[in-house]
Amino acid sequence: MDNLNNECILVCVYYGPNGERLIKRGCKIANMMQAPLYILTIDSKPFDELDAEKTFYIEQWKEWANSNPSAQFIMKDNESRPVSKVIAEVARAKNVTQIILGQTAQSRWEQITKGSIINSLVREIPFVDLHIISVSRYIRDGEGMYQHGIRAYLIKDGEQYKLSFCHEKNTEYEGIFFKEIDTDFDNGIFRFMKDAETLQVPVHDGIVTEFKNVDMSTALDLDDADE
């Protein structure tokens, strides 16, 4: 694909359900501008020390990058430098013109929403447009709100699947379970990869009866809801 406008898009993602939303926004902008797209994540730990949940998200981001011929995934692990320094370094190296960041409450990336980080990026790379996207701390569909995701597995049980939080030999799918708030049962959403596609299926009392994809596009930003 020819880059007609000399534009280049960088999406910065952190672990959690909001990464997909940011990447989709980046893909939309990149496709409109016929521009290359880079997906960047940063971690202070070495890659081989990351837990299973984090590696799951990294695998997903790689799949999304591989499915888009103009996209490339970049992992900056074992990083002790400030986030803004790493982002600026990648932006300069890749001739990035637009950066997409998400407001998030997780880890040190919470600093992205604070003026000092934004000001640092403006000073470091004044030639780059910054897009700060409001994303949710929780996810919600039309029927309920869900907690932060945890690693889980689906095990075939007759005509249905049983949710498990331990990997077993007969595990068929692994992914992230988002438990519905204010319930004592394993009700919620299970997100996983199936045939290079991300699915979100409903879980009722620890059971998945069918792979009916739930549209999570109505994610709620709790900060906005409190205003």
Side-chain angles (χ1 to χ4, degrees):
M1 179 183 294
D2 294 330
N3 184 4
L4 301 181
N5 301 304
N6 294 317
E7 295 284 345
C8 183
I9 314 301
L10 175 65
V11 179
C12 302
V13 293
Y14 194 72
Y15 313 106
N18 297 311
E20 181 175 2
R21 181 182 177 189
L22 296 177
I23 292 172
K24 285 182 176 179
R25 178 68 66 89
C27 286
K28 183 176 181 180
I29 294 175
N31 289 337
M32 288 175 57
M33 295 186 169
Q34 297 186 350
L37 172 70
Y38 294 95
I39 302 166
L40 170 68
T41 192
I42 304 166
D43 203 293
S44 59
K45 292 184 178 180
F47 177 78
D48 57 7
E49 293 183 10
L50 300 182
D51 60 29
E53 181 179 354
K54 289 184 177 182
T55 56
F56 173 80
Y57 281 112
I58 291 170
E59 290 164 6
Q60 280 193 315
W61 299 331
K62 287 180 178 178
E63 288 284 347
W64 290 326
N66 291 337
S67 66
N68 189 324
S70 65
Q72 180 181 335
F73 176 71
I74 301 173
M75 172 78 187
K76 291 290 186 179
D77 64 333
N78 201 22
E79 272 291 352
S80 59
R81 293 177 296 168
V83 169
S84 60
K85 293 286 186 182
V86 181
I87 294 174
E89 178 182 83
V90 172
R92 285 192 293 265
K94 301 299 183 181
N95 295 317
V96 167
T97 59
Q98 299 194 43
I99 296 177
I100 297 174
L101 303 169
Q103 289 180 341
T104 172
Q106 298 190 40
S107 188
R108 61 179 179 161
W109 281 61
E110 184 177 15
Q111 300 172 50
I112 287 177
T113 64
K114 298 179 181 179
S116 60
I117 298 298
I118 299 300
N119 291 339
S120 294
L121 285 174
V122 170
R123 287 194 300 269
E124 291 269 356
I125 42 176
F127 53 87
V128 175
D129 293 333
L130 301 178
H131 303 267
I132 311 300
I133 309 300
S134 178
V135 295
S136 63
R137 296 178 183 177
Y138 298 84
I139 58 173
R140 182 181 75 170
D141 68 356
E143 299 180 354
M145 192 177 296
Y146 306 94
Q147 298 174 356
H148 175 68
I150 60 173
R151 192 74 164 186
Y153 309 89
L154 290 185
I155 299 171
K156 186 72 172 176
D157 184 17
E159 297 298 318
Q160 57 192 17
Y161 291 87
K162 180 176 62 176
L163 184 73
S164 173
F165 300 101
C166 299
H167 188 276
E168 302 178 21
K169 289 197 296 185
N170 56 342
T171 293
E172 294 210 13
Y173 299 100
E174 56 181 313
I176 305 296
F177 175 59
F178 299 92
K179 185 176 181 179
E180 188 174 339
I181 292 176
D182 297 329
T183 178
D184 294 328
F185 303 97
D186 288 330
N187 299 324
I189 299 294
F190 182 76
R191 171 178 287 186
F192 66 107
M193 295 287 291
K194 183 177 184 296
D195 301 327
E197 178 185 6
T198 302
L199 293 180
Q200 293 118 179
V201 298
V203 180
H204 299 288
D205 201 10
I207 299 296
V208 174
T209 57
E210 60 178 334
F211 288 166
K212 179 182 179 181
N213 196 41
V214 177
D215 182 8
M216 307 308 294
S217 61
T218 55
L220 173 70
D221 189 315
L222 295 187
D223 294 333
D224 291 343
D226 292 338
E227 292 180 356

Coordinates of all heavy atoms in Angstrom, one line a residue, residues 138-219:
Y138 N -13.6 -0.8 33.2 CA -14.3 -2.1 33.1 C -14.9 -2.2 31.7 O -14.9 -1.2 31.0 CB -15.5 -2.0 34.2 CG -15.0 -1.9 35.6 CD1 -14.7 -0.7 36.1 CD2 -14.8 -3.0 36.4 CE1 -14.2 -0.5 37.4 CE2 -14.4 -2.9 37.7 CZ -14.1 -1.7 38.2 OH -13.6 -1.6 39.5
I139 N -15.5 -3.3 31.4 CA -16.2 -3.4 30.1 C -17.7 -3.7 30.4 O -18.1 -4.3 31.4 CB -15.6 -4.6 29.3 CG1 -15.6 -5.9 30.0 CG2 -14.2 -4.2 28.9 CD1 -15.2 -7.1 29.1
R140 N -18.5 -3.3 29.5 CA -19.9 -3.5 29.6 C -20.6 -3.8 28.3 O -20.2 -3.3 27.3 CB -20.5 -2.2 30.2 CG -22.0 -2.3 30.5 CD -22.6 -1.0 31.0 NE -22.7 0.0 30.0 CZ -23.3 1.2 30.2 NH1 -23.8 1.5 31.4 NH2 -23.4 2.1 29.2
D141 N -21.6 -4.6 28.3 CA -22.5 -4.8 27.2 C -23.8 -4.2 27.6 O -24.0 -3.6 28.6 CB -22.5 -6.2 26.6 CG -23.2 -7.1 27.6 OD1 -23.6 -6.7 28.7 OD2 -23.4 -8.3 27.2
G142 N -24.9 -4.5 26.8 CA -26.2 -4.0 27.1 C -26.8 -4.5 28.4 O -27.8 -4.0 28.9
E143 N -26.3 -5.6 28.9 CA -26.9 -6.3 30.1 C -26.2 -6.2 31.4 O -26.7 -6.4 32.4 CB -27.2 -7.8 29.7 CG -28.1 -7.9 28.5 CD -28.3 -9.4 28.2 OE1 -27.6 -10.2 28.8 OE2 -29.1 -9.7 27.3
G144 N -24.9 -5.9 31.4 CA -24.1 -5.9 32.6 C -22.8 -5.3 32.5 O -22.3 -5.0 31.4
M145 N -22.1 -5.1 33.7 CA -20.8 -4.6 33.8 C -19.9 -5.6 34.4 O -20.3 -6.4 35.2 CB -20.8 -3.3 34.6 CG -19.5 -2.5 34.5 SD -19.6 -1.0 35.5 CE -21.0 -0.2 34.6
Y146 N -18.6 -5.6 34.0 CA -17.7 -6.7 34.3 C -16.4 -6.2 34.9 O -15.9 -5.1 34.6 CB -17.4 -7.5 33.0 CG -18.7 -8.0 32.4 CD1 -19.2 -7.3 31.3 CD2 -19.3 -9.2 32.8 CE1 -20.4 -7.7 30.7 CE2 -20.5 -9.6 32.2 CZ -21.1 -8.8 31.2 OH -22.2 -9.2 30.6
Q147 N -15.8 -7.0 35.8 CA -14.6 -6.7 36.4 C -13.4 -6.9 35.5 O -13.5 -7.4 34.4 CB -14.4 -7.6 37.6 CG -15.5 -7.5 38.7 CD -15.4 -8.6 39.8 OE1 -14.5 -9.4 39.7 NE2 -16.2 -8.5 40.8
H148 N -12.2 -6.5 36.0 CA -11.0 -6.7 35.3 C -10.8 -8.1 35.0 O -11.1 -9.0 35.9 CB -9.8 -6.1 36.1 CG -8.5 -6.4 35.5 ND1 -8.1 -5.8 34.4 CD2 -7.5 -7.2 35.9 CE1 -6.8 -6.2 34.1 NE2 -6.5 -7.1 35.0
G149 N -10.3 -8.5 33.8 CA -10.2 -9.9 33.4 C -9.1 -10.7 34.1 O -8.1 -10.1 34.5
I150 N -9.4 -12.0 34.2 CA -8.4 -12.9 34.7 C -8.2 -14.1 33.8 O -9.1 -14.4 33.0 CB -8.8 -13.4 36.1 CG1 -10.1 -14.2 36.1 CG2 -8.8 -12.3 37.2 CD1 -10.5 -14.8 37.4
R151 N -7.1 -14.7 33.8 CA -6.8 -15.8 33.0 C -7.7 -17.0 33.2 O -8.0 -17.3 34.4 CB -5.3 -16.3 33.2 CG -4.8 -17.3 32.1 CD -4.5 -16.6 30.8 NE -3.7 -17.4 29.9 CZ -3.2 -16.9 28.8 NH1 -3.5 -15.7 28.4 NH2 -2.5 -17.7 28.0
A152 N -8.2 -17.6 32.2 CA -9.2 -18.8 32.4 C -9.1 -19.7 31.1 O -8.5 -19.4 30.1 CB -10.6 -18.3 32.6
Y153 N -9.8 -20.8 31.2 CA -9.8 -21.8 30.2 C -11.2 -22.4 30.0 O -12.0 -22.4 30.9 CB -8.8 -22.9 30.6 CG -7.4 -22.4 31.0 CD1 -7.2 -22.1 32.3 CD2 -6.4 -22.2 30.1 CE1 -5.9 -21.6 32.7 CE2 -5.2 -21.7 30.4 CZ -4.9 -21.4 31.8 OH -3.7 -20.9 32.2
L154 N -11.4 -22.9 28.8 CA -12.6 -23.7 28.4 C -12.3 -25.1 28.2 O -11.4 -25.5 27.4 CB -13.3 -23.1 27.2 CG -13.9 -21.7 27.3 CD1 -14.7 -21.3 26.1 CD2 -14.9 -21.6 28.5
I155 N -13.1 -26.0 28.9 CA -12.9 -27.4 28.7 C -14.2 -28.0 28.2 O -15.3 -27.8 28.7 CB -12.5 -28.1 30.1 CG1 -11.2 -27.5 30.6 CG2 -12.5 -29.6 30.0 CD1 -10.9 -27.9 32.1
K156 N -14.1 -28.9 27.2 CA -15.2 -29.5 26.5 C -15.9 -30.4 27.5 O -15.3 -31.2 28.2 CB -14.8 -30.3 25.3 CG -15.9 -30.9 24.5 CD -16.7 -29.8 23.7 CE -17.7 -30.4 22.8 NZ -18.5 -29.4 22.1
D157 N -17.3 -30.2 27.7 CA -18.1 -31.0 28.6 C -19.4 -31.4 27.9 O -20.4 -30.7 28.0 CB -18.3 -30.3 29.9 CG -19.1 -31.1 30.9 OD1 -19.1 -32.3 30.7 OD2 -19.6 -30.5 31.8
G158 N -19.4 -32.5 27.1 CA -20.5 -32.8 26.3 C -20.7 -31.9 25.2 O -19.8 -31.6 24.4
E159 N -21.9 -31.3 25.1 CA -22.3 -30.3 24.1 C -21.9 -28.9 24.5 O -22.2 -27.9 23.8 CB -23.7 -30.4 23.7 CG -24.1 -31.7 23.2 CD -23.4 -32.0 21.8 OE1 -23.3 -31.1 21.0 OE2 -23.0 -33.2 21.7
Q160 N -21.3 -28.7 25.7 CA -21.0 -27.3 26.2 C -19.6 -27.3 26.6 O -18.8 -28.2 26.5 CB -22.0 -27.0 27.3 CG -22.0 -27.9 28.4 CD -23.1 -27.7 29.4 OE1 -24.1 -27.1 29.1 NE2 -23.0 -28.2 30.6
Y161 N -19.2 -26.1 27.2 CA -17.8 -25.9 27.7 C -17.9 -25.5 29.1 O -18.7 -24.7 29.5 CB -17.1 -24.9 26.8 CG -16.8 -25.4 25.4 CD1 -17.7 -25.2 24.4 CD2 -15.5 -26.0 25.2 CE1 -17.4 -25.6 23.1 CE2 -15.2 -26.4 23.9 CZ -16.2 -26.2 22.9 OH -15.9 -26.7 21.6
K162 N -17.0 -26.0 29.9 CA -16.9 -25.6 31.3 C -15.7 -24.7 31.5 O -14.6 -24.9 31.0 CB -16.7 -26.9 32.2 CG -16.6 -26.7 33.7 CD -16.5 -28.0 34.4 CE -15.2 -28.8 34.0 NZ -15.1 -30.0 34.8
L163 N -16.0 -23.6 32.3 CA -14.9 -22.6 32.6 C -14.0 -23.2 33.7 O -14.5 -23.7 34.7 CB -15.6 -21.3 33.1 CG -14.7 -20.1 33.3 CD1 -14.1 -19.6 32.0 CD2 -15.4 -19.0 34.1
S164 N -12.7 -23.0 33.5 CA -11.8 -23.5 34.5 C -10.7 -22.4 34.7 O -10.4 -21.6 33.8 CB -11.1 -24.8 34.1 OG -10.1 -25.1 35.0
F165 N -10.1 -22.3 35.9 CA -9.1 -21.3 36.2 C -7.7 -22.0 36.3 O -6.7 -21.4 36.7 CB -9.4 -20.5 37.4 CG -10.7 -19.7 37.3 CD1 -11.8 -20.2 37.9 CD2 -10.7 -18.5 36.5 CE1 -13.0 -19.5 37.7 CE2 -11.9 -17.8 36.4 CZ -13.0 -18.3 37.0
C166 N -7.7 -23.3 36.0 CA -6.5 -24.1 35.9 C -6.3 -24.8 34.6 O -7.3 -25.3 34.0 CB -6.5 -25.2 37.0 SG -6.6 -24.6 38.7
H167 N -5.1 -24.7 34.0 CA -4.9 -25.4 32.8 C -4.9 -26.9 32.9 O -4.1 -27.4 33.8 CB -3.6 -24.9 32.1 CG -3.4 -25.4 30.7 ND1 -2.8 -26.6 30.4 CD2 -3.7 -24.8 29.5 CE1 -2.8 -26.8 29.1 NE2 -3.3 -25.7 28.6
E168 N -5.7 -27.6 32.2 CA -5.7 -29.1 32.2 C -5.4 -29.6 30.9 O -5.4 -28.9 29.8 CB -7.1 -29.5 32.7 CG -7.5 -28.9 34.0 CD -8.9 -29.4 34.4 OE1 -9.4 -30.4 33.9 OE2 -9.5 -28.7 35.3
K169 N -5.1 -30.9 30.8 CA -4.7 -31.6 29.6 C -5.8 -31.5 28.5 O -5.5 -31.4 27.3 CB -4.3 -33.0 29.8 CG -3.0 -33.2 30.6 CD -2.5 -34.6 30.5 CE -3.4 -35.6 31.1 NZ -2.8 -37.0 31.1
N170 N -7.0 -31.5 28.9 CA -8.1 -31.5 27.9 C -8.6 -30.0 27.7 O -9.7 -29.8 27.1 CB -9.3 -32.4 28.3 CG -9.8 -32.0 29.7 OD1 -9.1 -31.4 30.5 ND2 -11.0 -32.5 30.1
T171 N -7.8 -29.0 28.0 CA -8.2 -27.6 27.8 C -8.3 -27.4 26.2 O -7.4 -27.8 25.5 CB -7.2 -26.7 28.4 OG1 -7.3 -26.7 29.8 CG2 -7.5 -25.2 27.9
E172 N -9.3 -26.8 25.8 CA -9.5 -26.5 24.3 C -9.2 -25.1 24.0 O -8.7 -24.8 22.9 CB -10.9 -26.9 23.9 CG -11.1 -28.4 23.9 CD -12.1 -28.9 22.9 OE1 -12.4 -28.1 21.9 OE2 -12.6 -30.0 23.0
Y173 N -9.6 -24.1 24.9 CA -9.3 -22.7 24.6 C -8.8 -22.0 25.9 O -9.2 -22.4 27.0 CB -10.6 -22.0 24.2 CG -11.2 -22.6 22.9 CD1 -12.3 -23.5 22.9 CD2 -10.7 -22.2 21.7 CE1 -12.8 -24.0 21.8 CE2 -11.2 -22.7 20.5 CZ -12.3 -23.6 20.5 OH -12.8 -24.1 19.4
E174 N -8.0 -21.1 25.7 CA -7.5 -20.3 26.8 C -7.8 -18.8 26.5 O -7.7 -18.4 25.3 CB -6.1 -20.5 27.2 CG -5.1 -20.3 26.1 CD -3.7 -20.6 26.5 OE1 -3.3 -20.1 27.6 OE2 -2.9 -21.3 25.8
G175 N -8.1 -18.0 27.5 CA -8.4 -16.6 27.3 C -8.5 -15.8 28.6 O -7.9 -16.2 29.6
I176 N -9.4 -14.8 28.5 CA -9.6 -13.9 29.7 C -11.1 -14.0 30.1 O -11.9 -13.8 29.2 CB -9.1 -12.5 29.4 CG1 -7.7 -12.5 28.9 CG2 -9.3 -11.6 30.6 CD1 -6.7 -13.0 29.9
F177 N -11.3 -14.2 31.4 CA -12.7 -14.2 31.9 C -13.0 -12.9 32.6 O -12.2 -12.4 33.5 CB -12.9 -15.3 32.8 CG -14.3 -15.3 33.5 CD1 -15.4 -15.4 32.8 CD2 -14.4 -15.3 34.9 CE1 -16.7 -15.4 33.4 CE2 -15.6 -15.3 35.5 CZ -16.8 -15.3 34.8
F178 N -14.1 -12.2 32.2 CA -14.5 -10.9 32.8 C -15.8 -11.3 33.6 O -16.8 -11.5 33.1 CB -14.8 -9.9 31.8 CG -13.6 -9.5 31.0 CD1 -13.4 -10.1 29.7 CD2 -12.7 -8.5 31.4 CE1 -12.2 -9.8 29.0 CE2 -11.6 -8.1 30.6 CZ -11.4 -8.8 29.4
K179 N -15.6 -11.3 34.9 CA -16.7 -11.7 35.8 C -17.7 -10.5 36.0 O -17.3 -9.4 36.2 CB -16.2 -12.1 37.2 CG -17.3 -12.7 38.1 CD -16.7 -13.2 39.4 CE -17.8 -13.8 40.3 NZ -17.2 -14.3 41.5
E180 N -19.0 -10.8 36.0 CA -20.0 -9.8 36.2 C -19.9 -9.3 37.6 O -19.8 -10.1 38.6 CB -21.4 -10.4 35.9 CG -22.5 -9.3 35.9 CD -23.8 -9.9 35.4 OE1 -23.8 -10.9 34.8 OE2 -24.8 -9.3 35.7
I181 N -20.0 -8.0 37.7 CA -19.9 -7.4 39.1 C -21.2 -7.7 39.9 O -22.3 -7.9 39.3 CB -19.8 -5.8 38.9 CG1 -18.4 -5.5 38.4 CG2 -20.0 -5.1 40.3 CD1 -18.2 -4.0 38.1
D182 N -21.0 -7.9 41.2 CA -22.1 -8.2 42.1 C -22.8 -9.5 41.9 O -24.0 -9.6 41.9 CB -23.2 -7.0 42.1 CG -22.6 -5.7 42.5 OD1 -21.7 -5.7 43.4 OD2 -23.0 -4.7 42.0
T183 N -22.0 -10.5 41.6 CA -22.5 -11.9 41.5 C -21.6 -12.8 42.2 O -20.3 -12.7 42.2 CB -22.7 -12.3 40.0 OG1 -23.2 -13.7 40.0 CG2 -21.3 -12.3 39.3
D184 N -22.1 -13.8 42.9 CA -21.3 -14.9 43.6 C -21.0 -16.0 42.6 O -20.3 -17.0 43.0 CB -22.1 -15.4 44.8 CG -22.2 -14.3 45.9 OD1 -21.3 -13.4 46.0 OD2 -23.3 -14.3 46.6
F185 N -21.6 -16.0 41.4 CA -21.4 -17.1 40.5 C -20.4 -16.7 39.4 O -20.2 -15.5 39.2 CB -22.7 -17.6 39.9 CG -23.7 -18.0 41.0 CD1 -24.7 -17.1 41.4 CD2 -23.7 -19.2 41.5 CE1 -25.6 -17.4 42.4 CE2 -24.6 -19.6 42.5 CZ -25.5 -18.7 43.0
D186 N -20.0 -17.7 38.6 CA -19.1 -17.4 37.5 C -19.9 -17.0 36.3 O -20.0 -17.7 35.3 CB -18.2 -18.6 37.2 CG -17.1 -18.7 38.3 OD1 -16.7 -17.7 38.8 OD2 -16.7 -19.9 38.5
N187 N -20.5 -15.8 36.4 CA -21.3 -15.2 35.2 C -20.4 -14.1 34.6 O -19.9 -13.3 35.4 CB -22.6 -14.7 35.7 CG -23.5 -15.8 36.3 OD1 -23.5 -16.9 35.8 ND2 -24.3 -15.4 37.3
G188 N -20.4 -14.0 33.3 CA -19.7 -13.0 32.7 C -19.4 -13.2 31.2 O -20.2 -13.8 30.5
I189 N -18.2 -12.8 30.8 CA -17.8 -12.9 29.4 C -16.4 -13.5 29.4 O -15.5 -13.2 30.1 CB -17.7 -11.5 28.8 CG1 -19.0 -10.8 28.8 CG2 -17.1 -11.5 27.3 CD1 -20.1 -11.4 27.9
F190 N -16.2 -14.5 28.4 CA -15.0 -15.1 28.2 C -14.4 -14.7 26.8 O -15.1 -14.8 25.8 CB -15.1 -16.6 28.2 CG -13.8 -17.4 28.0 CD1 -12.9 -17.5 29.0 CD2 -13.5 -18.0 26.8 CE1 -11.7 -18.2 28.9 CE2 -12.3 -18.7 26.6 CZ -11.4 -18.8 27.7
R191 N -13.3 -14.1 26.8 CA -12.7 -13.6 25.6 C -11.5 -14.5 25.2 O -10.6 -14.7 26.0 CB -12.2 -12.1 25.7 CG -11.4 -11.6 24.6 CD -10.9 -10.2 24.7 NE -12.1 -9.3 24.6 CZ -12.0 -7.9 24.6 NH1 -10.8 -7.4 24.8 NH2 -13.0 -7.2 24.4
F192 N -11.5 -14.9 23.9 CA -10.4 -15.8 23.5 C -10.2 -15.7 22.0 O -11.0 -15.1 21.3 CB -10.7 -17.3 23.9 CG -12.0 -17.8 23.2 CD1 -11.9 -18.8 22.2 CD2 -13.2 -17.4 23.6 CE1 -13.0 -19.3 21.6 CE2 -14.4 -17.9 22.9 CZ -14.2 -18.9 22.0
M193 N -9.2 -16.4 21.5 CA -8.9 -16.4 20.1 C -9.3 -17.7 19.5 O -9.0 -18.8 20.0 CB -7.4 -16.2 19.8 CG -6.8 -14.9 20.2 SD -7.3 -13.5 19.1 CE -6.3 -14.0 17.7
K194 N -10.1 -17.7 18.4 CA -10.5 -18.9 17.7 C -10.4 -18.6 16.2 O -11.0 -17.8 15.6 CB -12.0 -19.2 18.0 CG -12.5 -20.5 17.3 CD -13.9 -20.7 17.8 CE -14.4 -22.1 17.2 NZ -14.5 -22.1 15.7
D195 N -9.5 -19.4 15.6 CA -9.2 -19.3 14.1 C -8.8 -17.9 13.8 O -9.4 -17.3 12.8 CB -10.4 -19.7 13.3 CG -10.8 -21.2 13.6 OD1 -9.9 -22.0 13.8 OD2 -12.0 -21.5 13.6
A196 N -7.9 -17.3 14.5 CA -7.4 -15.9 14.3 C -8.4 -14.8 14.5 O -8.2 -13.7 14.1 CB -6.7 -15.8 12.9
E197 N -9.5 -15.2 15.1 CA -10.6 -14.2 15.4 C -10.8 -14.1 16.9 O -10.8 -15.1 17.6 CB -11.9 -14.6 14.7 CG -13.0 -13.7 15.0 CD -14.4 -14.2 14.4 OE1 -14.4 -15.4 13.9 OE2 -15.4 -13.5 14.4
T198 N -11.0 -12.9 17.4 CA -11.3 -12.7 18.8 C -12.8 -12.8 19.0 O -13.6 -12.1 18.4 CB -10.8 -11.3 19.3 OG1 -9.4 -11.1 19.0 CG2 -11.0 -11.1 20.8
L199 N -13.1 -13.7 20.0 CA -14.5 -13.9 20.3 C -14.8 -13.5 21.8 O -13.9 -13.7 22.6 CB -15.0 -15.3 20.1 CG -15.0 -15.8 18.6 CD1 -15.4 -17.3 18.6 CD2 -15.9 -15.0 17.8
Q200 N -15.9 -13.0 22.1 CA -16.4 -12.8 23.5 C -17.7 -13.5 23.6 O -18.7 -13.1 23.0 CB -16.5 -11.3 23.7 CG -15.2 -10.5 23.7 CD -15.2 -9.5 22.6 OE1 -14.2 -8.8 22.5 NE2 -16.2 -9.3 21.8
V201 N -17.7 -14.5 24.5 CA -18.9 -15.4 24.6 C -19.4 -15.3 26.0 O -18.7 -15.2 27.0 CB -18.6 -16.8 24.2 CG1 -18.2 -16.9 22.7 CG2 -17.6 -17.5 25.1
P202 N -20.8 -15.4 26.2 CA -21.3 -15.3 27.5 C -21.1 -16.6 28.3 O -21.1 -17.7 27.8 CB -22.8 -15.1 27.2 CG -23.1 -15.7 25.9 CD -21.8 -15.5 25.1
V203 N -20.8 -16.4 29.6 CA -20.7 -17.5 30.6 C -21.7 -17.4 31.6 O -21.9 -16.3 32.3 CB -19.3 -17.4 31.3 CG1 -19.1 -18.6 32.2 CG2 -18.2 -17.4 30.2
H204 N -22.5 -18.5 31.9 CA -23.5 -18.5 32.9 C -23.2 -19.7 33.8 O -23.2 -20.8 33.5 CB -24.9 -18.8 32.2 CG -25.3 -17.7 31.2 ND1 -25.6 -16.4 31.7 CD2 -25.4 -17.7 29.9 CE1 -25.9 -15.7 30.6 NE2 -25.8 -16.4 29.5
D205 N -23.0 -19.3 35.1 CA -22.7 -20.2 36.2 C -21.5 -21.2 35.7 O -21.6 -22.4 35.9 CB -23.9 -21.1 36.5 CG -23.8 -21.7 37.9 OD1 -22.8 -21.3 38.6 OD2 -24.6 -22.5 38.2
G206 N -20.5 -20.6 35.1 CA -19.3 -21.3 34.8 C -19.4 -22.2 33.5 O -18.5 -23.0 33.2
I207 N -20.5 -22.0 32.7 CA -20.7 -22.8 31.5 C -20.9 -21.9 30.3 O -21.6 -20.9 30.4 CB -22.0 -23.7 31.7 CG1 -21.8 -24.7 32.9 CG2 -22.3 -24.5 30.4 CD1 -20.7 -25.7 32.7
V208 N -20.3 -22.3 29.2 CA -20.5 -21.7 27.9 C -21.3 -22.7 27.0 O -20.8 -23.8 26.7 CB -19.2 -21.3 27.2 CG1 -19.4 -20.8 25.8 CG2 -18.4 -20.3 28.0
T209 N -22.5 -22.3 26.6 CA -23.3 -23.2 25.8 C -23.1 -23.1 24.3 O -23.4 -24.0 23.6 CB -24.8 -23.1 26.2 OG1 -25.2 -21.7 26.0 CG2 -25.0 -23.4 27.7
E210 N -22.7 -21.9 23.9 CA -22.5 -21.6 22.5 C -21.6 -20.5 22.3 O -21.4 -19.6 23.2 CB -23.8 -21.3 21.8 CG -24.6 -20.1 22.3 CD -25.8 -19.8 21.6 OE1 -25.9 -20.1 20.4 OE2 -26.7 -19.1 22.2
F211 N -20.9 -20.5 21.1 CA -19.9 -19.4 20.8 C -20.7 -18.3 20.1 O -20.4 -17.9 19.0 CB -18.8 -19.9 20.0 CG -17.8 -20.8 20.7 CD1 -16.9 -21.7 20.0 CD2 -17.8 -20.9 22.1 CE1 -16.1 -22.5 20.7 CE2 -17.0 -21.7 22.8 CZ -16.1 -22.5 22.1
K212 N -21.6 -17.6 20.9 CA -22.3 -16.5 20.4 C -21.5 -15.2 20.8 O -21.4 -14.9 22.0 CB -23.7 -16.5 21.0 CG -24.5 -15.3 20.6 CD -25.9 -15.3 21.3 CE -26.7 -14.1 20.9 NZ -28.1 -14.1 21.6
N213 N -21.0 -14.5 19.8 CA -20.1 -13.4 20.1 C -20.9 -12.2 20.7 O -22.0 -11.8 20.2 CB -19.5 -12.9 18.8 CG -18.3 -12.0 19.0 OD1 -17.5 -12.3 19.9 ND2 -18.2 -11.0 18.2
V214 N -20.4 -11.7 21.8 CA -21.1 -10.5 22.4 C -20.4 -9.3 22.0 O -19.1 -9.2 22.0 CB -20.9 -10.7 24.0 CG1 -21.5 -9.4 24.7 CG2 -21.6 -11.9 24.5
D215 N -21.1 -8.3 21.5 CA -20.6 -7.0 21.1 C -20.2 -6.2 22.3 O -21.1 -5.7 23.1 CB -21.6 -6.3 20.2 CG -21.1 -5.0 19.7 OD1 -19.9 -4.7 19.8 OD2 -21.9 -4.2 19.1
M216 N -18.9 -5.9 22.5 CA -18.4 -5.1 23.6 C -18.2 -3.7 23.2 O -17.5 -3.0 23.9 CB -17.2 -5.7 24.2 CG -17.3 -7.2 24.6 SD -18.7 -7.6 25.6 CE -18.2 -6.7 27.1
S217 N -18.7 -3.2 22.1 CA -18.4 -1.9 21.6 C -19.0 -0.8 22.5 O -18.7 0.4 22.3 CB -19.0 -1.7 20.2 OG -20.4 -1.9 20.1
T218 N -19.9 -1.2 23.4 CA -20.6 -0.2 24.3 C -19.8 -0.1 25.6 O -20.4 0.1 26.6 CB -22.0 -0.5 24.5 OG1 -22.1 -1.8 25.0 CG2 -22.8 -0.4 23.2
A219 N -18.5 -0.1 25.5 CA -17.7 0.0 26.7 C -17.9 1.3 27.4 O -18.1 2.3 26.8 CB -16.2 -0.2 26.4

